[in-house]
Structures are given as C-alpha cells and as structure tokens.
Amino acid sequence: PVNRTPEMQAERLQLPILSEEQVIMEAVAEHPIVIVCGETGSGKTTQVPQFLYEAGYGSDSVIGVTEPRRVAAMAMSQRVAKEMSLAHACPCRVVSYQIRYEGNVTNETRIKFMTDGVLLKEIQKDFLLLKYKVVIIDEAHERSVYTDILIGLLSRVVALRAKRRRPLKLLIMSATLRVEDFTQNQRLFARPPPVIKVESRQFPVTVHFNKRTPEDYSGECFRKVCKIHRMLPAGEAPAGPPGHSRYRARPPLCTQSRGFPPAGLRGARQERALGLQAQSRALPHINLDSYSVLPAGEADEDREAEADGDEEAALGSDLDLDLGDGDSDGGAGGGVGRAQPAAPVSSGPLLPCASVFRPPPEGTRLCVVATNVAETSLTIPGIKYVVDSGKVKKRHYDRVTGVSSFRVTWVSQASADQRAGRAGRTEPGHCYRLYSSAVFGDFEQFPAPEITRKPVEDLILQMKALNIEKVVNFPFPTPPSVEALVAAEELLIALGALQAPPKTERLKQLQRSRLSCPITALGRTMAAFPVAPRCAKMLALGRQHGCLPYAIAVVAAMTVRELFEELDRPAASEEELTALRGRRARVAQMKRTWAGRGASLKLGDVMVLLGAVGACEYAGCSREFCEANGLRFKAMLEVRRLRGQLTTTVNAVCPEAGLFVDPKMDPPTESQVTYLRQIVTAGLGDHLARRVQSEELLDDKWRNAYKTPLLDDPVFIHPSSVLFRELPEFVVYQEIVETTKMYMKGVSAVDEQ
Ligand code: ADP
Ligand code: MG
C-alpha cells in the first residue's frame, strides 16, 4: 500500500505512462521479457518501478533498476521515494540506490536504483540474481557498454531462472530510438519480446534550420540564445554547445605556491626521494611473478565505467554560463528581464541542482546549458525553445591502436530529433538548429553503440571472470568488431590475465575467430579491481616493498584522468591570454617540483600524479588548493573516493596488507620510486616507445619523435609532460591522444636492460 500525497497523485496522473499501467503489467505477467518505449519525460523511470511494487513484485524481493549514469541512479531513487511519500516516514529505506562509491541499501530495500556496472558486479557473485524478481534495464537506447552486456547476460539468466521455476522478469526501457537491435536479434532473443509504446503528449515543435552552417557554433549558439531572450516571449531556452569553454567561469589567478609537502616539512627521506641525492646503488628489482591473488570467490567491490567523469573532463567541468552578460550584446531590450543561468545539470556524482526542476523566479528566464546528458535521461520541465548546435563531443578510439582523440562531430538525426522534442513537452515550441537542412540530411541516422567505439579489454576481462570463455559467441545486442576482440585478448594475455594457448593453437583460433582463452588467477584478481586491466596489473604487483599505497594513488589518479585544468584553450582577449600564460607557467613549475629530479624524475608524469595527490590530500583536498595549483577540484575529489575504494578492495584481496588511506602519506623512498617504475612498466608494457635515433632521422617530422610498435607515424611526448624536454630513450605512456600530432600522455622513462 502506498500513501501518496494528493498533489503527488495529481502530478503522476499527468504522465502519459499512467494510462498504460494495465497494459504494461499484463505484458509483464504474460512474458518474461518486455520492452517499454516512450519519449523522455513520459514517466518510465519514475513510474514503472512503482507499478511493479504495487503489483507485489517487491514482496520478499527486490526490484532492480539500472541506469547508465550515477547521477540518474541517485536522482531517480530520491524522486521515487518522494513520490511514494516514503521520504519522511523512513527515508530511503524502501527505495535505495547503489553506485560505485556509495549507497543506502538496507534489508528493507524493495526498489533499488543502481548503475549498470553495479549489477554487472552482482552477476559475478550470483549469476542467477536470485534476490531480484524483476530487473529493469533503463535507458537502453543509450547503448552503454555495460547496458549492452547486461542485456546479453540477462537474456540467459531469464532462461535459467525459468528452468529453476523461479522466474525473473526483465524489462528493457528505452526512449524511442532504434529498438530493432533488441527485437530483431535472434541470437539475443529467440522470440522477439513485446514492445509497448507509450504515447507521450508532444506539442508541435517548429524546427528552424540555419541557412548557413557557421564554423563558430558556440559563438552562434550564444548569439541565438541572446536573441531569443531579447525577442521572444516567455519559455526557457536550453542551449547545448559541447566544449563551450569560452563561457566558463574562470578561476582566479593563483598566487600561492605550495610543495609536496610544503618544503619546510620535507624530511631527509623525502629529499632523497625527490632525487636530491645522487643514485649510486644497483637498481632494485620488482619480482614480476609475485603478485597478490584473490582467494577463491572473494571479489567484493562494485565496478563502474569511468562514467560521468571522463565525459565531464572533456566537456569542461564548469557549465555555468552567465547569460546576464548577453545584455551587452545589443542592449537589454524586450524579452523577460534577466536570463537566469541554471546550475550544472551533471555535476559528477552530485545531484542536479534542484532549482532546474522549479519554475524560475518571476521576471526571469531559465536558460539551461546542457550537454548530451540531458538529451534523454533528465527531464527539465517547461522548456519552450531549444537551440541545437548539432554537435557532440566524444572521445573517439582507434580500434586497433587504442589511440584516442576528442572529436566534436555532428550528432545523429535521432539525437537531433530528441533534442528538438524537448521544446514541446508543455506547449508548442521552437527548435533552432544552427546548421542547414542539407547538413542535417547528411547526419547518420542513429548514434553508434558505445561497444563498437571503445577498446573492450576491460569488458572481456569481466566476461572471462564470469567464465564466458568464447566471447565471440556471446549474444551481444551489437557485437564489437573481431579486431577489437583480438586486440583485447592479446593485451590480456600479455598482462597475464588470460592463459596463453600454445602458438599453433592460437593461430588456429585467430584464423577461425574462435577466441577462447581461459582466465588466470591473476586475471580474477585483476577483475576484482574496478579499474582498467593495465592499472589492475599495477595494483596486483604493488604489494612488494610497501609500494601498494603509492600504486593505489597512481592508479586512482590515472583512472580519473585529467587532474589538471585545461590551460591550452584559446583566449578571448589579451588580458585573458596573459592570465592563461601565468597559470600555465605556474602549473609547469608545480609539476617540476612534484616530479623532483634524478630517480623520481624518471618516473615522470606518474611521479607528478603522485605528488599532486599527495600534496592535495596534505592540504585537505580543498577547492582553494586545487585552484591555486591548476588541479580540477572535482577530479581530485574523485581520486580521493577511488583511493578509498581501491584500498578497501586491496584489503579484501590481501588482508595482511592492512592498508588505510593516509592523508599524510610520505613520498616514496628512492628505492620505492624505482620499484614503482617497474610496476608502471609492467602495467603499461605494451605502451612502449623508443626515441628515434639521429641517424634514423630521414625527415624533419621525426625530430624529437618516438616510434611505437603499432603506429607507422611518429608520436611525441606531450608538452604538458615533465619529460617533454628530457626525451629519454625509452618511455612507457598511459595513452596516445591525437590532436595536432599524436601525443603520448602520462609518460615514464624506462631503463635499457
Ligand atoms: P522518463 O523516464 O520516461 O524519461 P521520468 O520518469 O524520468 O520520465 O520523468 C517523469 C516526470 O517526472 C518528468 O516530467 C519530470 O519532469 C518529472 N521529474 C523527474 N524527476 C524529478 C525531480 N527530481 N523533481 C521534479 N520532477 C521530476
Ligand atoms: Mg528515464
């Protein structure tokens, strides 16, 4: 029995999905698998779990709901708790959430929102998912890697549960994007599941194409929003230029200088580690065959895709766009007074600011600047004007080499239509497309599923940990390419996570695309760490010589990515350019301090990460410290959480380590630095590059360049690296990013053996 407030009940009744309750519940009763499709805002996420709860699917059991994003898992659990009037009586006990780092699940939880990564981890512990009677895979149209895998796995779990006479119901919910990948895929569902379409009230949206397609889409976007604000009647205007760094609020210029720890507190040990004493002894060695291995059956942490963080780093972390300034662009005339910029819609693990759900104050206009996050998963009420740049900023990976680059590309037609649809939820609206109709005609119809765009080594390791040996036979909604699968297996074999078959056997496997290497004990341990396989290998090796706390800090920093603020952006004015230059010099200075000299400098950018994490924690991980040192505050908070989580996981793997997160961690000793270099090299071993010798310099484009096994083209040390001027003979790198050239980031020197 649910006692909703009358206001809440009235609000619910407005939702299109309410009239489909019976249809949906009948389908669920009759079929093991049901697909529910409906426009964003039709009420799928908030209402369907409640329908199921009221129909008794939550009795002695849990209704599981997965979301591709943490922010959605948290926000939706709160919203549903509130709708069910549970928030006051027993906050979040019946409706809970679980994301990578935190959750409020109890024994009384009946509806559990979680990220798809969390459910994937649960399947590893209990393949039949016996604690659930229903699992809802929400936002399936986003086609996130984990969502795709879950759908594949659950198609089998449902069959197994039916055999055991403990049926599991699977609901797949999606915006109205292509569902044929699910329904027309015989391998996935031998019998196509029923699709229930929820008709939403959609008011007409007039779409206006630009005559021409401007280069400067963010400037154009800004001008358009200002124009709407000046000329058009009330109604909010969301705007969505990706990478709108030009509007970002600038942090104040830093003036203070701080070391790691502050120079005065540095002990002799630290001086040594920072390379102030010459290195004379023979190099100590790490034993590459000595790693921690998980005792059987004990993987105990949630894993989760790098999720929101990465995307956010790409988009610039601050979304505040002060449209108040727009008035200067042609004077404040007409319109509805000041436009009110809303708080960021996605703030990492934080919730969207509640103010975006509330009507803006009298005499103001709400302007939402949104990334693709808001395209489908969050509904902000009352939007009347949509300005669509037509662009999306995504990390693009080369399938074989893994080289990544951020690319701003055109969205798909389906996405553009989603964006436009936002304008017609409450009344007829307008969508201004900043591109011509001819350009629109050339857009792809649908976005490509993530699994076809990303390296899959992480995923393959997870699947192998689930004892899925023949990955090629897995019922993927859309399978990754065979090259990507082979590349992933090769890497995992090299890391020791999979058993290498004899050479001839392997050749046969490759010829017939019958990849089937079983997982090793090391592989199982690596799968328990919620980080990429290369990093997991570093953790597995880290126990030796007291290196674990450092390995954890390094891996946490590598996983969060881009700890440093982007300072290479173009400046709008002379003044800003000077300020930017000042900041760049300051950050470069800090990096040199953190890297130290001698042995520690050889550890290169990894030493910088260690220094940044150490110094930041020493200063209490404050916003001020981050701003003063060019660090992204949100990234550093994320590093802190991940360090905590990795420490817990490592303790589960080897309890005798007895680790804890030390905010006043000493810098590593000189010999530890050397061990760390070996650990890093073991993890990044396939990312080796050799400096091109002067006698090989055929072409000027190879000056200061490096050669890697996979690429024909030269690669370079990124200018932001502390090894940029050092040019060691051999290096390992964390990743290659292509901008104007191919650049290696996260570089460490390797000694010639
Ligand atoms: P769907 O999953 O179909 O996109 P939702 O169930 O997420 O739809 O949303 C249904 C409605 O609930 C939307 O109109 C949205 O405005 C409203 N809503 C969702 N979350 C909140 C919230 N935190 N506060 C106020 N309204 C909300
Ligand atoms: Mg939804």
Side-chain angles (χ1 to χ4, degrees):
V2 178
N3 292 315
R4 298 187 183 86
T5 62
E7 301 84 55
M8 200 53 92
Q9 191 55 18
E11 218 177 292
R12 288 183 79 220
L13 284 172
Q14 302 281 316
L15 293 172
I17 204 159
L18 260 278
S19 53
E20 305 290 335
E21 174 166 5
Q22 206 182 345
V23 181
I24 293 172
M25 293 319 296
E26 276 170 12
V28 171
E30 285 167 24
H31 301 270
I33 303 170
V34 174
I35 298 178
V36 179
C37 267
E39 278 307 337
T40 320
S42 56
K44 300 180 298 297
T45 310
T46 51
Q47 305 310 315
V48 173
Q50 298 185 59
F51 297 164
L52 291 159
Y53 179 79
E54 288 186 271
Y57 286 95
S59 62
D60 311 322
S61 183
V62 181
I63 298 165
V65 189
T66 70
E67 299 289 335
R69 294 170 207 279
R70 292 182 225 167
V71 55
M74 291 169 77
M76 291 305 163
S77 79
Q78 282 185 6
R79 175 67 185 172
V80 171
K82 185 164 175 229
E83 288 195 17
M84 292 168 76
S85 305
L86 295 164
H88 304 296
C90 45
C92 308
R93 265 159 114 185
V94 173
V95 187
S96 313
Y97 72 90
Q98 178 71 50
I99 60 174
R100 168 148 79 174
Y101 306 108
E102 59 189 75
N104 55 10
V105 176
T106 66
N107 285 338
E108 282 153 78
T109 298
R110 292 294 166 256
I111 300 176
K112 174 172 161 189
F113 284 88
M114 64 199 128
T115 47
D116 43 16
V118 167
L119 188 66
L120 189 62
K121 203 74 203 169
E122 288 186 12
I123 290 196
Q124 286 178 16
K125 283 189 231 167
D126 169 19
F127 192 79
L128 293 178
L129 290 175
L130 288 166
K131 79 171 162 238
Y132 300 98
K133 267 190 194 157
V134 186
V135 170
I136 302 176
I137 305 290
D138 198 11
E139 311 284 6
H141 61 270
E142 280 202 22
R143 304 300 306 275
S144 84
V145 171
Y146 285 168
T147 290
D148 268 18
I149 295 306
L150 278 175
I151 291 175
L153 285 168
L154 284 163
S155 71
R156 298 306 183 260
V157 176
V158 165
L160 290 172
R161 286 271 299 261
K163 265 192 209 150
R164 299 251 183 129
R165 296 181 186 289
R166 296 186 57 183
L168 172 73
K169 298 289 183 186
L170 171 62
L171 271 91
I172 298 173
M173 305 206 294
S174 140
T176 47
L177 296 185
R178 180 171 52 183
V179 285
E180 292 77 31
D181 285 352
F182 303 132
T183 54
Q184 305 299 311
N185 183 337
Q186 298 246 321
R187 211 164 171 202
L188 182 60
F189 302 126
R191 211 178 312 149
V195 178
I196 297 165
K197 287 226 159 74
V198 182
E199 294 304 329
S200 59
R201 259 181 324 263
Q202 174 69 38
F203 293 88
V205 174
T206 315
V207 172
H208 310 265
F209 283 102
N210 259 24
K211 280 211 186 63
R212 266 186 285 274
T213 306
E215 282 286 309
D216 174 20
Y217 59 84
S218 52
E220 177 76 6
C221 185
F222 182 65
R223 280 186 292 276
K224 187 70 87 181
V225 170
C226 294
K227 204 165 159 192
I228 291 172
H229 181 51
R230 281 199 312 274
M231 323 275 286
L232 295 175
E236 284 88 41
H244 34 68
S245 50
R246 279 190 48 192
Y247 305 133
R248 240 185 287 160
R250 308 262 183 284
L253 192 66
C254 59
T255 47
Q256 258 183 318
S257 129
R258 266 173 245 180
F260 164 40
L265 296 175
R266 243 183 243 149
R269 206 165 102 90
Q270 287 141 4
E271 303 273 84
R272 264 202 310 282
L274 293 172
L276 302 178
Q277 260 184 13
Q279 181 185 339
S280 54
R281 281 168 294 114
L283 287 181
H285 268 281
I286 208 102
N287 178 357
L288 294 179
D289 294 320
S290 164
Y291 36 73
S292 328
V293 169
L294 203 60
E298 266 200 50
D300 201 19
E301 278 302 319
D302 313 315
R303 74 178 3 261
E304 197 162 280
E306 47 202 43
D308 319 327
D310 184 28
E311 193 160 294
E312 224 183 278
L315 294 167
S317 50
D318 282 330
L319 294 180
D320 313 63
L321 160 50
D322 189 352
L323 283 183
D325 293 348
D327 290 350
S328 59
D329 176 79
V336 215
R338 247 181 81 87
Q340 198 196 22
V345 170
S346 163
S347 353
L350 302 173
L351 291 173
C353 179
S355 66
V356 303
F357 292 109
R358 283 196 301 265
E362 195 66 29
T364 65
R365 190 200 295 266
L366 179 70
C367 175
V368 184
V369 182
T371 65
N372 7 337
V373 177
E375 208 168 279
T376 57
S377 51
L378 289 171
T379 305
I380 295 152
I383 303 282
K384 178 161 180 182
Y385 304 108
V386 167
V387 176
D388 176 19
S389 66
K391 303 280 187 169
V392 61
K393 186 171 183 177
K394 268 191 188 156
R395 188 184 277 271
H396 177 277
Y397 294 90
D398 183 280
R399 241 186 231 169
V400 179
T401 61
V403 172
S404 72
S405 51
F406 275 112
R407 298 198 186 158
V408 175
T409 57
W410 293 114
V411 296
S412 64
Q413 293 186 351
S415 299
D417 290 341
Q418 283 279 329
R419 292 180 181 187
R422 288 310 181 114
R425 294 283 185 260
T426 28
E427 59 180 313
H430 295 267
C431 173
Y432 297 87
R433 290 184 167 161
L434 306 180
Y435 43 90
S436 69
S437 56
V439 168
F440 177 80
D442 289 340
F443 285 4
E444 274 186 286
Q445 229 183 329
F446 294 101
E450 192 184 34
I451 201 165
T452 61
R453 295 191 284 110
K454 263 187 147 176
V456 289
E457 61 252 8
D458 177 30
L459 175 69
I460 301 305
L461 182 60
Q462 295 308 312
M463 292 174 70
K464 298 274 181 175
L466 283 165
N467 299 319
I468 301 170
E469 275 178 21
K470 293 211 172 82
V471 173
V472 274
N473 290 347
F474 185 78
F476 292 103
T478 306
S481 72
V482 174
E483 297 119 278
L485 290 175
V486 171
E489 270 211 4
E490 293 289 316
L491 172 65
L492 292 171
I493 291 172
L495 291 172
L498 300 183
Q499 244 167 54
K503 261 210 178 102
T504 48
E505 172 64 19
R506 181 69 178 163
L507 273 178
K508 271 192 228 154
Q509 284 184 10
L510 292 176
Q511 270 162 13
R512 285 188 247 139
S513 308
R514 284 255 160 271
L515 313 174
S516 57
C517 301
I519 193 165
T520 59
L522 172 60
R524 279 196 196 282
T525 302
M526 285 166 56
F529 296 122
V531 293
R534 290 188 183 87
C535 286
K537 171 82 182 236
M538 297 181 210
L539 292 178
L541 284 173
R543 196 178 40 156
Q544 303 172 62
H545 310 284
C547 288
L548 256 179
Y550 304 112
I552 290 174
V554 166
V555 164
M558 282 185 170
T559 302
V560 168
R561 242 178 192 150
E562 289 314 328
L563 302 196
F564 291 90
E565 202 192 313
E566 168 73 85
L567 294 173
D568 283 334
R569 57 182 186 239
S573 63
E574 203 55 39
E575 220 170 53
E576 198 190 330
L577 188 67
T578 318
L580 266 177
R581 284 206 185 117
R583 283 186 73 74
R584 263 181 237 151
R586 157 102 189 112
V587 169
Q589 170 61 41
M590 274 328 292
K591 284 184 176 173
R592 281 195 297 274
T593 309
W594 285 329
R597 271 177 280 158
S600 86
L601 178 58
K602 285 191 178 175
L603 190 51
D605 298 326
V606 174
M607 192 67 206
V608 171
L609 294 182
L610 206 49
V613 173
C616 187
E617 277 303 319
Y618 198 92
C621 201
S622 68
R623 189 184 279 279
E624 294 71 41
F625 180 86
C626 292
E627 276 178 9
N629 291 288
L631 293 166
R632 296 196 311 124
F633 179 54
K634 274 187 211 157
M636 296 315 289
L637 287 179
E638 185 77 9
V639 169
R640 168 181 268 197
R641 276 199 290 253
L642 190 51
R643 257 180 97 191
Q645 190 200 2
L646 290 176
T647 303
T648 315
T649 316
V650 166
N651 281 334
V653 173
C654 50
E656 70 279 10
L659 287 188
F660 61 97
V661 181
D662 183 1
K664 303 255 146 71
M665 181 171 75
D666 276 336
T669 63
E670 190 179 316
S671 60
Q672 279 172 330
V673 167
T674 309
Y675 293 130
L676 280 170
R677 284 175 57 210
Q678 292 165 27
I679 290 170
V680 167
T681 307
L684 301 178
D686 67 316
H687 279 175
L688 186 67
R690 185 175 68 97
R691 181 151 177 224
V692 172
Q693 304 300 308
S694 49
E695 61 271 20
E696 297 170 275
L697 259 178
L698 300 172
D699 189 334
D700 211 38
K701 76 170 183 178
W702 286 86
R703 185 184 298 279
N704 295 341
Y706 283 75
K707 182 84 192 76
T708 60
L710 276 178
L711 296 162
D712 293 331
D713 287 322
V715 300
F716 298 86
I717 295 182
H718 194 271
S720 68
S721 166
V722 282
L723 295 177
F724 179 58
R725 287 183 208 292
E726 305 289 324
L727 299 170
E729 167 125 33
F730 288 96
V731 295
V732 283
Y733 55 87
Q734 193 187 351
E735 59 176 348
I736 294 182
V737 176
E738 188 177 3
T739 52
T740 46
K741 293 181 188 169
M742 302 254 213
Y743 281 117
M744 296 182 280
K745 288 185 143 183
V747 182
S748 289
V750 180
D751 289 311
E752 236 173 311
Q753 291 297 319

